Amino acid sequence: MTITATSVVKDGCLMVRGKVVLTGIPPHVVISPASGGSAFIGASLKSLSSYHVCSLGVLEDYKFVCLFIAQIWWMIPRLGKSGSEIPMETQMLLLEIKDESLPSDETSFEHNTGNTFYILLLPTLDGPFRTSLQGTSSNELQFCTESGDPNVQTSQAFEAVFMNSGDNPFELIKDSIKILEKHKGTFSHVENKKIPGHLDWFGWCTWDAFYNEVNPKGIKEGLQSFQEGCCSPKFLIIDDGWQEIVNEFHKEGEPLIEGTQFATRLVDIKENSKFKASSSDNSCVDLKEFIETIKEKYGLKYVYMWHALAGHWGGLLPSSENLKKYNPEIAYPVQSQGNLGNIRDIAMDYLEKYGVGIIDPEKVYDFYNDLHSYLASSSVDGVKVDVQNLMETLGSGLGGRVSITRQYQQALDESISKNFKENNLIACMCHNSDSIYSSKKSAIARASEDFMPNEPTFQTLHIASVAFNSLLLGEIVVPDWDMFLSNHSTADFHGAARAIGGCAVYVSDKPGKHDFKILKKLVLPDGSILRAKYAGRPTRDCLFQDPVMDGKSLLKIWNMNKLSGVVGVFNCQGAGSWPMKQVAQDVTNLTSPAKRLSARISPLDVEFLEEVAGGDWSGDCAVYAFNSGSLSRLPAKESLEVSLDVLKCEIFTISLIMVYNQIIHFAPIGLLDMYNSGGAIESLNCSADLKGCSIKIKARGCGRFGAYSNTKPLYCLEDMKEEEFIYNAEDGLLTLELQGECCLKEIEVVY
């Protein structure tokens, strides 16, 4: 629940629920009540300016997790316990407030024991101004508010930071986003968006397979090699490399000038010569013919094309006759002090030098509509729109960063609605709050930095970043975990994470370079996946622990299926370190050999598990470990230990044990050879009388199906046909083989 206790300022201290949160609050700070006991924190400022930094007081001795823009495109988490550890560009701050006077059991998994609550701080958009949080060396918590346009100034910021508190951190974030959605009216909660259909199908992206050299011949070779392995993608992303672009700084026959590759500009909305009849290998007539051919031959349901929010990295070429009607002009990005104070981005540094051909905001809808209508007429089903945060640097003279971002986002939403009726859009490089709080319809967004196959120290950071970023992003969009490589050394690690992420599952394998053993743990024979219900996020006991650098904590990620919970456990220690984060003196895991670590998992790790509990629940759960194949019966409040080496993982399906006819204890697990076993279960019902008991389960897919049963059944049916089954009386595991097509099946277990 979310607490409705109003925050108050007393003797220069901010107090929430009787606890002092901030001390030394300056007199110009203003707290205004909002709905449900929440509030806005702001300030009367000394002078008119387009950029203000204001102290909110001193923050000390509370554990926190925050999300901040480390590099202009992406957020990562930071954990700490004082204001000095809060980086510039922080966009979410969650505090854990414990009442030390009340007894607490650190080993207990039971929630809401009365001694812990949470405070959420969300810097928001206030008119044309965007706010972020940051700390100082003296533990001051500051907000920074900026317009990005010297001509857009203010002397007040009364809705700079939203604050709310609650007992459940996940409900707190969700409720807060819904309050802001209603109050601001500039964005929508994910529950109010149309979710694209491609999420439920296996996909392939061309980026790591070909990079900019993507071409029709290579795409066909890749689709053919998937088909030969009986694991065909149903959606395809043709990434960067299909558009007609030019590097105007590169003269033919001369060496490439370093950095100009980031300033390539679009010269036409149509495909380049590689996708036309004039191509050297004559592999297609044009984009339309090519897409229709591969859809028919390889059974693709969705084909998406890549483009940047500004058209391409360097925008549009102003001298292009085909694009002049959009009034492109060269503008030079101006990065915020926050971006420059964190990690500089090489692409942005070069774009500052070479400029961006920015589309006239009054013409940007026309550009998107022309581009998207052409793609739709070519049998394209949707788009991946990249490089979105670039707009925050181009607001000078155009009303500022928030204004230009919102104009572009609204135009994009309108064009997508018109041309791609299923809302088929993947947003990317869009983590700034300008974009997040201008997202009215966009329903999917990349949740972290790219998967980088050649960077061994990035693999654990990728998993941890997405899980933590999903705390915020998962309330606005369905987080996209990015592609991975099925034949990579970390493929099992990445595949397992995506199986429980509630996200799309897609790879970027080179043709013929696949590990079908990994893929078939993710993908059913018909190309569908077992997608979990929510965004995968860290379990409550992991929220304030560093799973990458503290040398002791495993990362646990929870999610729900229709009738069960799932917890993935990952050892992310000792294989990388957070950017801008120093290793603590008492942590040696980054310089010593990676070690095996242990943690405990419990049914209570799964938030909202009670959603699927009915009156027949025994209070116990069946816990199935995917990799070990072990099945345990566990009371909801108890736990079991898991130990993992670095870059290893385990997935636990947690199914409530129901009691039927007073003596039959039963819990469906699902498809035992799929990472997210419980995702196969669609429904369960039981009919019982004095003669016996019949449990009917609807499940999709094929292969080994498992359930917990405290007693051996008389027989089992699959679609009314009796099937052989195996029953292990030691652990209660009941298994049978689901035959035939990969469709919805009715399984009946009779006692």
Side-chain angles (χ1 to χ4, degrees), residues 566-584:
V566 60
V567 176
V569 188
F570 301 83
N571 187 343
C572 299
Q573 300 283 351
S577 58
W578 294 116
M580 302 168 52
K581 175 82 171 176
Q582 290 186 338
V583 182

Side-chain angles (χ1 to χ4, degrees), residues 239-259:
D239 214 297
D240 191 6
W242 69 273
Q243 292 174 293
E244 189 68 46
I245 58 173
V246 65
N247 182 342
E248 60 183 326
F249 306 99
H250 180 225
K251 292 182 173 57
E252 189 173 351
E254 295 184 5
L256 179 71
I257 301 172
E258 184 180 2

Side-chain angles (χ1 to χ4, degrees), residues 500 530 559 561 563-568 601-603 606 609 621-627 630-632 634 640 650-656 667-681 706 708:
I500 63 168
L530 303 179
N559 213 322
N561 294 304
L563 290 178
S564 61
V566 60
V567 176
I601 73 109
S602 167
V606 181
L609 190 61
C621 295
V623 180
Y624 179 76
F626 174 80
N627 285 318
S630 64
L631 177 63
S632 306
L634 201 64
L640 56 84
E650 180 62 280
I651 295 182
F652 295 91
T653 295
I654 298 173
S655 184
L656 305 181
I669 295 166
L671 293 177
L672 302 180
D673 297 319
M674 305 292 286
Y675 285 124
N676 183 23
S677 305
I681 309 293
Y708 168 83

